[in-house]
Amino acid sequence: MAVLLGVTVTGGGTAMAEADEACSILERLGDRVEGAVSSSACAFLTKQTEFGAMRSDTAETREARVRLYGTVFAADGTLAESGSAAPVRGRAAIEDNLRTLLGAFPTFRFTPVKIVVNGDVVFYEAANEAVISGRMVRYPAVYRVVLKDGEVVQGRRYHDRTEWFRPLEQEALRELFAGVADDCPRKGPALTGPGLTAPVTDPVCHLRYLGRLTAAMTDVRLAADQAAGPHTKFQEYRGTVRAKGRTIQFGTIVRTEPGLVRYYFDTLPLSYDDAEMAALFAKLLTAAAPPAP
């Protein structure tokens, strides 16, 4: 057992999923799912996984995908990013949010990596990809949801939106963790997160990474929120921080398993203020490929 930056990392076997009743999606997902899967969680996992695999390169397929996504949420459900933006409220507004996203990159897809269920709370870790301005962009994400009767009443996306702008900004993109993994020869428990292309195992570099993150924020008011997992553990922290001259809603998810700690958060509002972010998104939508007929 080792303690890494306040997180305990232990060995242990994999906890398999258990279903309260027949849930066919579990056969497909296999040992990527941990925890007791209720009928409510099964309904979410089924729709979320189908949505992630769908195509959206024509107007018809995009709209079908939007409609399916709408059925994932309760009529008054909410969806929030891990940083800065206010939650999107209501199924219709959430569908419009997705239409905008798919308009910018209709090739957006994801595949499940690890899913942990804790009652009505589900952490759905995914490998995301999209072609943006002619370049394939791949980035990890965690979708944290609270369910009621098989529908999402509260959803949050934890991923680094900075990656969306890499093909557009290229060398001008602000990299919060640029160079942080240089000269990291020592071995220890692995850490990875936004801005790192591979895990680092040098404790000095772990501290350098976290130091760079804390230096980008002041007046940090984060508290533990939802958590799940006896084997693969997900812990959410949520609250407010000050960054780039304003106070923003902010959150992070820490995922731990034997020998590895992974952070999920959005560096975009830590590197750019609101006006700069608006300009980036305008550029993203302008540069988006026109929807296919």
Side-chain angles (χ1 to χ4, degrees):
M1 178 171 66
V3 177
L4 173 62
L5 304 176
V7 179
T8 302
V9 182
T10 66
T14 300
M16 299 292 290
E18 298 179 359
D20 290 352
E21 55 187 64
C23 182
S24 60
I25 191 67
L26 293 182
E27 295 181 10
R28 176 177 166 188
L29 295 172
D31 62 4
R32 286 176 286 185
V33 183
E34 298 176 17
V37 179
S38 65
S39 58
S40 182
C42 178
F44 167 72
L45 297 184
T46 301
K47 290 182 178 181
Q48 178 80 348
T49 304
E50 180 183 352
F51 166 77
M54 289 178 75
R55 300 184 64 87
S56 47
D57 49 2
T58 69
E60 291 77 13
T61 56
R62 276 195 304 280
E63 192 57 28
R65 199 174 186 191
V66 168
R67 288 195 299 270
L68 174 62
Y69 196 62
T71 68
V72 171
F73 288 84
D76 58 351
T78 63
L79 175 63
E81 299 287 353
S82 58
S84 73
V88 181
R89 297 186 178 276
R91 182 183 293 145
I94 291 169
E95 290 178 348
D96 285 342
N97 177 272
L98 179 62
R99 284 190 184 95
T100 300
L101 174 69
L102 295 181
F105 24 93
T107 56
F108 170 73
R109 289 186 182 184
F110 61 77
T111 55
V113 174
K114 177 62 69 175
I115 300 162
V116 178
V117 182
N118 181 18
D120 290 329
V121 177
V122 179
F123 290 80
Y124 190 111
E125 184 182 33
N128 291 11
E129 66 176 38
V131 176
I132 302 175
S133 192
R135 177 176 168 181
M136 177 61 76
V137 176
R138 294 183 172 90
Y139 59 98
V142 173
Y143 303 95
R144 196 282 282 148
V145 302
V146 176
L147 302 170
K148 182 178 180 181
D149 299 327
E151 297 179 327
V152 174
V153 293
Q154 184 193 71
R156 290 175 181 162
R157 297 187 290 218
Y158 286 84
H159 57 110
D160 188 9
R161 292 179 294 168
T162 300
E163 295 299 325
W164 293 354
F165 303 99
R166 192 171 300 282
L168 302 176
E169 296 298 287
Q170 300 183 35
E171 297 302 320
L173 187 70
R174 295 177 191 169
E175 302 275 10
L176 183 61
F177 301 107
V180 76
D182 293 347
D183 189 24
C184 300
R186 293 192 295 175
K187 298 298 181 182
L191 174 146
T192 191
L196 296 175
T197 57
V200 294
T201 61
D202 190 328
V204 171
C205 293
H206 297 178
L207 293 174
R208 189 186 301 162
Y209 182 90
L210 294 180
R212 193 81 60 86
L213 174 61
T214 56
M217 304 182 293
T218 60
D219 195 19
V220 177
R221 299 175 183 270
L222 301 180
D225 200 330
Q226 301 291 348
H231 177 73
T232 304
K233 300 179 184 296
F234 288 92
Q235 175 65 66
E236 178 186 31
Y237 297 90
R238 193 74 188 175
T240 61
V241 302
R242 279 194 66 78
K244 304 298 288 186
R246 85 284 203 210
T247 298
I248 59 172
Q249 294 292 321
F250 193 75
T252 183
I253 284 178
V254 182
R255 175 201 195 270
T256 58
E257 62 180 284
L260 176 66
V261 176
R262 181 185 293 273
Y263 287 87
Y264 285 93
F265 56 86
D266 189 6
T267 67
L268 190 67
L270 305 181
S271 301
Y272 296 87
D273 64 26
D274 290 342
E276 291 171 326
M277 287 173 57
L280 283 175
F281 278 103
K283 187 174 181 179
L284 176 68
L285 296 176
T286 301

